[in-house]
Amino acid sequence: MKELFLLSGLGADKRVFDFLDLSNYNIHHVNWITPVPKESLAQYATRLLPQITTHNAILIGVSFGGMIALEIAKLIPVEKVILISSAKSTAAIPSYYKLISKFRLDKLIRPASLKKPNEIFFWLFGVTTKKHKALLTAIMKDTDDTFLNWAMQAIPSWKNNNRSSNPVIQIHGTNDRILNFKSADYPIKGGGHLMVVTNAKEVSEILSKVVAN
């Protein structure tokens, strides 16, 4: 049975994977740990390695988790990295994230404001149903402020040119408003940033093919 190591997105936890059909695999959730001030995504990934307990594991990362999965794959042998609603390289990070970092506009964004989603927030993540809005609200409410502050600074500073020796497969929604769609191995038409929840059936079907190959 395949061993899957799941890395959730920024401000998310393992609940985002609850909608997927992963019943045919051994599942391991990689838990976020407290970041060290000013450490890079690469440095943070190094401290997560003790949680990857299988040789040549399959890493599945959603959004921020995909970036961390790519960094982990630079450090240890993995069978493959599967990105869902994530960035394959630094070039895929929207320019406005970099501007926020350059001018330190992140200092003006209070974590408390991000932890109380409104309709604009729901629109950005592509959630429309009451159930999905409630889930996103609960996840953001439970997000650690220290982790959120650190990640908002670390993501724009991420350095990755996608020169990985490991297979990297990208699943991305064409209607992603957080990390804009440019290309993907498996595009999901109309899928938003939280399509791991909203388009779970389609994502599950793709994963069953990708994991097996």
Side-chain angles (χ1 to χ4, degrees):
M1 187 176 286
K2 294 280 188 178
E3 305 278 338
L4 306 184
F5 287 78
L6 311 181
L7 298 97
S8 60
L10 172 61
D13 57 26
K14 63 183 181 181
R15 283 174 285 186
V16 298
F17 295 105
D18 287 349
F19 294 77
L20 298 178
D21 180 6
L22 301 174
S23 56
N24 293 324
Y25 315 109
N26 284 329
I27 300 301
H28 307 271
H29 291 280
V30 177
N31 299 311
W32 296 141
I33 57 179
T34 302
V36 174
K38 297 184 179 181
E39 75 176 332
S40 66
L41 296 191
Q43 292 167 329
Y44 184 79
T46 299
R47 297 197 295 116
L48 294 175
L49 289 182
Q51 296 187 51
I52 312 299
T53 55
T54 300
H55 183 68
N56 280 334
I58 295 176
L59 307 180
I60 301 179
V62 172
S63 189
F64 171 79
M67 302 174 203
I68 296 295
L70 289 171
E71 291 300 327
I72 289 174
K74 295 176 184 177
L75 302 169
I76 59 173
V78 300
E79 181 177 328
K80 65 188 70 172
V81 178
I82 303 173
L83 305 178
I84 303 175
S85 304
S86 190
K88 205 170 185 179
S89 68
T90 304
I93 303 293
S95 57
Y96 53 81
Y97 283 111
K98 299 170 186 176
L99 289 174
I100 289 173
S101 177
K102 180 179 179 180
F103 294 104
R104 301 314 310 268
L105 298 179
D106 55 293
K107 295 292 185 180
L108 303 177
I109 302 174
R110 300 179 61 185
S113 65
L114 298 177
K115 295 173 72 171
K116 296 180 180 179
N118 53 34
E119 289 303 318
I120 295 177
F121 199 89
F122 296 140
W123 176 81
L124 285 171
F125 277 80
V127 296
T128 57
T129 69
K130 185 176 180 180
K131 179 180 181 180
H132 294 159
K133 288 179 180 179
L135 173 65
L136 182 57
T137 299
I139 286 174
M140 293 306 298
K141 181 180 178 182
D142 294 340
T143 302
D144 179 74
D145 286 1
T146 300
F147 180 80
L148 188 56
N149 273 327
W150 165 76
M152 287 174 61
Q153 298 174 37
I155 292 173
S157 302
W158 183 45
K159 305 296 183 184
N160 182 58
N161 58 14
N162 192 35
R163 294 179 181 175
S164 173
S165 59
N166 305 286
V168 178
I169 300 97
Q170 188 171 27
I171 307 170
H172 210 94
T174 61
N175 201 32
D176 193 319
R177 300 184 180 102
I178 302 293
L179 292 171
N180 300 333
F181 175 82
K182 294 182 180 179
S183 64
D185 300 294
Y186 294 90
I188 292 186
K189 187 175 181 180
H193 194 63
L194 205 63
M195 66 179 188
V196 68
V197 171
T198 61
N199 299 71
K201 184 176 184 295
E202 193 171 353
V203 173
S204 296
E205 290 171 352
I206 293 172
L207 284 176
S208 67
K209 300 175 186 177
V210 173
V211 170
N213 293 335

